[in-house]
Amino acid sequence: MTMKNLIYFLFGLAVVLSACKRNRDEDFKVPPAIRSFWPNSGKPGTIVTINGAGFVKKDNEVSFNGTAATVVDVNDTVMTVLAPAGGSTGKVTVKTAGKELEAGTYTYQNLSMHGVSPLNGPAGTNIVVRGEGFGSTAAPAKVMINGKEAVITSVNDTLLIAAVPVGAGSGTIKVTVDNKEVTGPSFLFQDISKIKPLKGGKGTQVTITGEGFNAVAGNNSVAFNGKSATVISATATQLVVATPDDVATGPLSVTINGQKTVGPVFTVIPPPLLATVAPLSSPAGKDITITGSNFSSLMDENVVTFNGIAGTIKSAAEKQLVITIPTGAGSGNIKVWVNGQETAGPLFKEQNLGVVSLSPDNGLAGTTVTVSGIGFSTNATDNIVTFNGVAANVVSATDTELKVVAPAGLSTGTLDVKVSGLQATGPLFRRAGVMTLAGGPGSGLFTGALGLTGDRAGNLYFLQGYQVKKITPDGTVSTYAGGSTSGYADGSLSAAMFLGPHTITVDSQDNLYIQDGNGLRTYVRKITPAGQVSTVVTVFENMPGGLGVDRNGTIYLSKFYQGLYKVESNGSLTRIGNFTFTIPDKMAIDALGRAYYAGGDFYNPFIAMVTPAGEHSFLAGSNRYDPDFVDGDISGARLGSPLCVTIDPTSGNFFFVDNMAMAVRYATPSGTVKTVVGAEGTFQPFKMGYKDGTLKEALFRSMKGIHVDANGNIYVIEPENNAVRKIFLK
């Protein structure tokens, strides 16, 4: 091809492409249309904004009832004109892009609207309306938003301020004065009707439902208690957002064009906590139960997978989920998601053998346990049952129930079942329960006994008559110090005598402290591990039984209606705080020097704490008449007749006996009260008796002392049952 021919070819191609582009532009041209205009009334010269589409930049004609108007500015969607002088009320006509369109009726009058700000916001937003003719001596102006009347907070002839009414919705703004009306722009009403979920944590996806949102995700600013969140998707009525890493409990808010709408409170909770999962093996289609905390009571906010396959949530509560096992679960870990927060669970096997429950789920050697499940052999000897690896005797069997006897050598762990080559892991069985360590009804031991404490070797000490007595770990009872009659003498264990001992405690070095007295004087007697008795405190007045010793050997006493006193190194007493309660028995002193005691009586029972600075507070119960037998936090827990307080060195909780409940109970440092054992697990006041067994079987009567050893075992002394009982929790 010659150069000349090439030039002709390129020129021709350019002409063709130009024609194609022209045709394409014509194909995509938007036909002109008018959506709205405002204001729809005013004087000559009022600026009128016409909103629409397909406007052209030149050769536009606008007339007001036939009178030509000046076009000030125009783009493809907005045209701005001036109401012409000499015009009259009538139709506004627009000629653009070769087409003639009607915008609506414009009324020539003194009332006009020139601007509104803001044009979006929630109920209560103050909008400022600028214009003319708002003043009237006949009747006040009215502002309507989407047909609902707003409350005007300020008005003059050229300015109105009005509050957006509740439930206004989105729609046009209208002002009426002296039966004259002007229509302004549309107001976008913002409202949050609900958020789901209402609880979660970092990364939880929250759906916000309402109105007035911006369809462009980035134009909506969402915050959780002031912490900015990420908007994932947006429509005019729904936003989906991800909570920020530092999400905090508080109200959710949506801000658009500077206008904030406040929604419900979003509560931050920890990820789900799994306590038990049973059974850990079962065929598809059966149900498993997961207990724990931080689940959602709304089924669709919980997701449970088996080896990656989702199960069907059958029921949901905050502390329990019931899930149907999916087909194809195989063998793999369970995972639980609650509102996007994940917790890994134990291994699950899809098979025809499983352990559902144990009754009881705690006990000592010899306890008969009913094992419920599926796939057992009806031949008892074909079922191999172990308690934490120790084989047990199967007494009877059906395909869904086994009766087994907890073996000697029992320890806390899972109960497992093997049948025909299959193995099923069952729930945890705790070596827990109550046994009599020494004495028992009819033994004659412990009559009139008071107090209970123990040393690091596992020996227990209590008071009886004028003597300190000792119980060895095997339950042997002997006299440790003191004589059969009242007297006062320091010295060796055999030589020492006591006037009237009534409270006993121990320090971290195994020194025993006994509060002793004769009604005129109060003594604190000390017995060293080497067996020497001495008097370390003498007070020339009668004092109640409040006695405590901290880890440094500092002694604390109580006076009638004068609270707590610290014994200084020189033997003087320093009052701590100014509370007026009497501390009647053994108190516990923690590592920070805080004293915990059981106070009051049947009519005002409580557990209280006193700080070294003298600040006094109730941990449980109150100083008002409201006795009961109820566990719970500081606001709901009720006590009957608490006595003695001792610290559990393994947990830091404060154990005490409650003789209205006939139960052993404890309080956490934050004030939550729980019952360990008593009243056969019925929570019935004054349900008393004498029965060893599981934690739900045991009965007690009138306990006068409590001690917790280094292993977390609990001991109580019962003079009326002539017994010292040992409570196993581990």
Side-chain angles (χ1 to χ4, degrees), residues 364-437:
L364 303 176
T367 300
T368 299
V369 180
T370 300
V371 184
S372 299
I374 57 171
F376 303 146
S377 172
T378 55
N379 184 356
T381 59
D382 291 341
N383 304 280
I384 300 173
V385 178
T386 57
F387 287 73
N388 199 26
V390 179
N393 180 35
V394 180
V395 178
S396 64
T398 69
D399 59 348
T400 60
E401 185 176 281
L402 304 176
K403 289 192 180 295
V404 299
V405 177
L410 173 72
S411 60
T412 296
T414 60
L415 181 147
D416 299 337
V417 178
K418 291 181 181 179
V419 181
S420 301
L422 296 178
Q423 177 174 342
T425 300
L428 189 75
F429 185 87
R430 285 194 301 149
R431 180 180 181 265
V434 179
M435 62 166 280
T436 298
L437 177 67

Side-chain angles (χ1 to χ4, degrees), residues 65 68 110 136 227 270 302 330 393 413 540 655 667 694:
N65 200 26
N110 289 332
S136 172
K227 308 291 185 179
N302 307 279
N393 180 35
F540 293 95
F655 284 75
T694 68

